[in-house]
């Protein structure tokens, strides 16, 4: 069972990391059960309860055996959690400290620093600029009252969708979903997110970081959910550029031809507002300028030339071949169905994925690239030793 709510980090407002802390503390007891008692009851039924937070939504995942009595008991426990989470002071402090430790650990990773800085550079004041894990200063100030207030505002039935996958009849699955949404206050839907910025807040960020390797990240807002005519051609272009791993253009030019990087690729994030298209690589520090020229060259080549018929067919085969494997488990399928409900996608979405992908032509890719890829509008972040003297707008690694 996947319960998704419009309660991701885009709703953090002035408190980056708040949505994450709410999700972490959600299963730490209820008004009638301590955290230990809840954990034991879940363990006794063979159930697992977990949470996760992204920029768009928060997710509550319950996994249970399908036997009716066992499933009923597991769902009843989740109902109790949703009706009256305790958010006790000690639990909030414990989870807050764990979150702070993860934030501090990210400061030891050039890639993590680069990705945080890139989202700030791309999105500026937009809610997507806020890192889901939060900032150390903001998280350190969060307490039970603010956690409870966020829960009361965003963990409401009007903000929730439920997906149920397993050995269960549709009527019973619908009844379970209604039980869970019924455990939430009715509430109001979250306000619409603002449009993503058309141009990055910063074109370039350089952060000095003592390490043997330099992290290079580039990106720009590119695609929102529902833009079907652009989404599938852009997914094909991303697959060819860097999403296909060892058979992508970036892997070939960066590793096989020049030996610049073992970790390079691209990712297309399709979000409610325009999600980003990211290109990333980690390289030997002394070869960072060369690697940056190669990355930008590949992006500019894709922008100028698009993909020929063979390139499109190869990327489409890779994407459609991997698609069934991505839905091979109940957990994966329930995540996809919950995402469909959250983004108001039609029930035919999964069935139409392969035909839509196979219908992509080189002209579609060129049109999508012309609409959404502009190398001159990409933000660039360089994190590594002896960073070149930065221009105005540079951010320090400690931030």
């Amino acid at each position: 069972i996947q319960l998704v709510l419009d309660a991701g980090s885009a709703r953090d407002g002035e408190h980056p990391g708040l949505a994450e802390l709410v999700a972490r503390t959600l299963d730490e007891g209820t008004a009638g059960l301590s955290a230990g008692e809840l954990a034991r009851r879940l363990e006794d039924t063979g159930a697992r309860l977990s949470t996760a937070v992204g920029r768009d939504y928060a997710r509550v995942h319950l996994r249970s055996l399908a036997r009716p009595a066992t499933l009923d008991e597991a769902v009843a426990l989740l109902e109790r959690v949703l009706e009256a989470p305790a958010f006790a002071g000690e639990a909030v402090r414990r989870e807050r400290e764990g979150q702070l430790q993860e934030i501090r650990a990210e400061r030891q990773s050039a890639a993590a620093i680069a990705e945080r800085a890139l989202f700030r550079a791309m999105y500026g004041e937009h809610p997507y600029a806020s890192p889901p894990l939060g900032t150390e200063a903001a998280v350190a100030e969060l307490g039970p009252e603010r956690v409870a207030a966020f829960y009361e505002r965003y963990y409401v039935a009007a903000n929730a969708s439920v997906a149920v996958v397993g050995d269960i009849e549709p009527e019973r699955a619908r009844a379970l979903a209604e039980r869970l949404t019924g455990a939430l206050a009715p509430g109001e839907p979250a306000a619409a997110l603002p449009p993503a910025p058309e141009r990055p807040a910063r074109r370039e960020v350089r952060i000095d970081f003592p390490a043997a390797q330099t992290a290079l990240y580039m990106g720009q807002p590119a695609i929102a959910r529902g833009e079907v005519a652009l989404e599938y051609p852009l997914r094909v272009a991303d697959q060819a550029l860097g999403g296909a791993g060892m058979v992508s253009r970036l892997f070939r030019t960066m590793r096989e031809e020049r030996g610049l990087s073992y970790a390079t690729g691209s990712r297309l994030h399709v979000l409610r507002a325009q999600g980003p298209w990211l290109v990333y690589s980690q390289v030997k520090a002394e070869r960072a300028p060369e690697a940056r020229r190669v990355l930008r060259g590949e992006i500019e080549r894709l922008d100028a030339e698009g993909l020929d018929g063979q390139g499109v067919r190869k990327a489409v085969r890779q994407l459609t071949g991997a698609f069934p494997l991505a839905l091979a488990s109940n957990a994966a399928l329930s995540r996809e169905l919950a995402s469909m409900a959250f983004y108001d996608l039609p029930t035919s979405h999964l069935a139409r994925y392969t035909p839509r992908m196979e219908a992509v032509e080189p002209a579609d890719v060129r049109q999508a690239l012309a609409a959404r890829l502009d190398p001159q509008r990409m933000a660039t972040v360089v994190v590594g030793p002896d960073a070149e003297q930065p221009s105005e707008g540079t951010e320090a690694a400690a931030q």
Side-chain angles (χ1 to χ4, degrees):
I1 301 175
Q2 302 275 352
L3 173 69
V4 293
L5 305 106
D6 193 336
S9 64
R11 304 301 176 183
D12 280 344
E14 298 178 356
H15 310 285
L18 178 54
E20 174 72 18
L21 184 56
V22 172
R24 285 170 178 250
T25 318
L26 182 62
D27 62 353
E28 292 295 308
T30 74
L33 289 174
S34 69
E37 290 169 334
L38 175 61
R40 283 191 293 274
R41 292 278 296 274
L42 287 166
E43 185 176 355
D44 288 344
T45 65
R48 294 182 180 180
L49 179 61
S50 61
T51 60
V53 169
R55 283 181 163 81
D56 272 348
Y57 58 75
R59 179 166 54 85
V60 181
H61 176 207
L62 177 67
R63 182 179 179 183
S64 169
L65 297 172
R67 291 195 299 266
T70 306
L71 178 58
D72 274 340
E73 186 173 354
V75 170
L77 289 170
L78 180 53
E79 277 186 286
R80 294 183 66 173
V81 169
L82 297 175
E83 285 174 348
F87 296 133
E90 180 57 34
V92 171
R93 285 190 292 273
R94 182 173 60 251
E95 294 301 322
R96 181 181 62 203
E97 184 56 35
Q99 191 169 335
L100 287 169
Q101 292 294 340
E102 290 186 33
I103 294 171
R104 292 166 190 147
E106 281 195 346
R107 293 211 301 266
Q108 309 305 312
S109 166
I113 293 170
E115 185 163 334
R116 277 180 172 246
L118 181 62
F119 270 86
R120 288 195 297 269
M122 289 187 296
Y123 287 100
E125 299 301 316
H126 190 276
Y128 284 168
S130 178
L133 197 56
T135 64
E136 188 170 2
V139 172
E141 295 180 351
L142 297 178
E145 297 80 8
R146 192 153 280 151
V147 167
F150 185 97
Y151 183 86
E152 290 171 5
R153 169 62 187 91
Y154 293 108
Y155 281 67
V156 295
N159 230 17
S161 302
V162 181
V164 182
V165 176
D167 184 11
I168 186 171
E169 294 297 322
E171 294 77 10
R172 181 163 167 73
R174 188 175 296 109
L176 292 180
E178 290 173 353
R179 281 174 61 183
L180 294 177
T181 54
L184 299 167
E188 297 290 337
L193 293 174
E198 293 186 1
R199 293 192 174 275
R202 293 181 179 84
R203 282 289 306 281
E204 187 171 303
V205 179
R206 299 174 184 271
I207 301 173
D208 187 64
F209 183 77
Q213 290 197 327
T214 292
L216 300 173
Y217 274 64
M218 301 177 184
Q220 68 180 99
I223 185 75
R225 282 286 183 178
E227 297 183 296
V228 176
L230 296 175
E231 178 182 343
Y232 288 82
L234 286 181
R235 288 192 184 278
V236 170
D238 174 67
Q239 183 74 3
L241 177 64
M246 292 186 291
V247 294
S248 68
R249 287 184 174 188
L250 290 179
F251 188 89
R252 183 174 64 253
T253 57
M254 292 288 288
R255 179 177 177 178
E256 292 183 354
E257 296 178 3
R258 294 173 175 83
L260 285 168
S261 174
Y262 286 94
T264 189
S266 64
R267 295 197 305 268
L268 185 69
H269 295 264
V270 186
L271 301 177
R272 177 160 279 174
Q274 279 192 358
W277 196 352
L278 308 181
V279 175
Y280 55 90
S281 189
Q282 293 192 68
V283 303
K284 292 181 179 180
E286 62 271 19
R287 302 189 70 182
E290 177 188 359
R292 180 176 171 180
R293 287 193 298 272
V294 173
L295 286 176
R296 182 164 290 279
E298 285 299 320
I299 295 168
E300 290 174 346
R301 182 163 76 94
L302 180 65
D303 179 53
E305 301 175 3
L307 299 175
D308 60 18
Q310 181 179 355
V312 169
R313 289 190 295 273
K314 180 179 178 182
V316 167
R317 284 196 302 270
Q318 292 164 351
L319 289 165
T320 55
F323 182 63
L325 299 177
L327 302 175
S329 69
N330 283 356
L333 183 55
S334 66
R335 281 195 300 270
E336 185 64 30
L337 293 176
S339 177
M340 287 167 54
F342 179 83
Y343 290 116
D344 297 319
L345 299 178
T347 55
S348 60
H349 173 71
L350 294 181
R352 297 175 69 183
Y353 175 89
T354 296
R356 279 175 168 167
M357 198 63 75
E358 291 176 339
V360 172
E361 298 289 343
D364 302 319
V365 174
R366 287 194 295 272
Q367 181 180 4
L369 291 173
R372 295 302 165 84
L373 177 63
D374 182 354
Q376 303 309 312
R377 292 195 300 114
M378 296 190 84
T380 300
V381 174
V382 181
V383 179
D386 301 320
E388 298 174 29
Q389 187 62 33
S391 57
E392 184 179 356
T394 294
E395 302 175 36
Q399 292 178 312

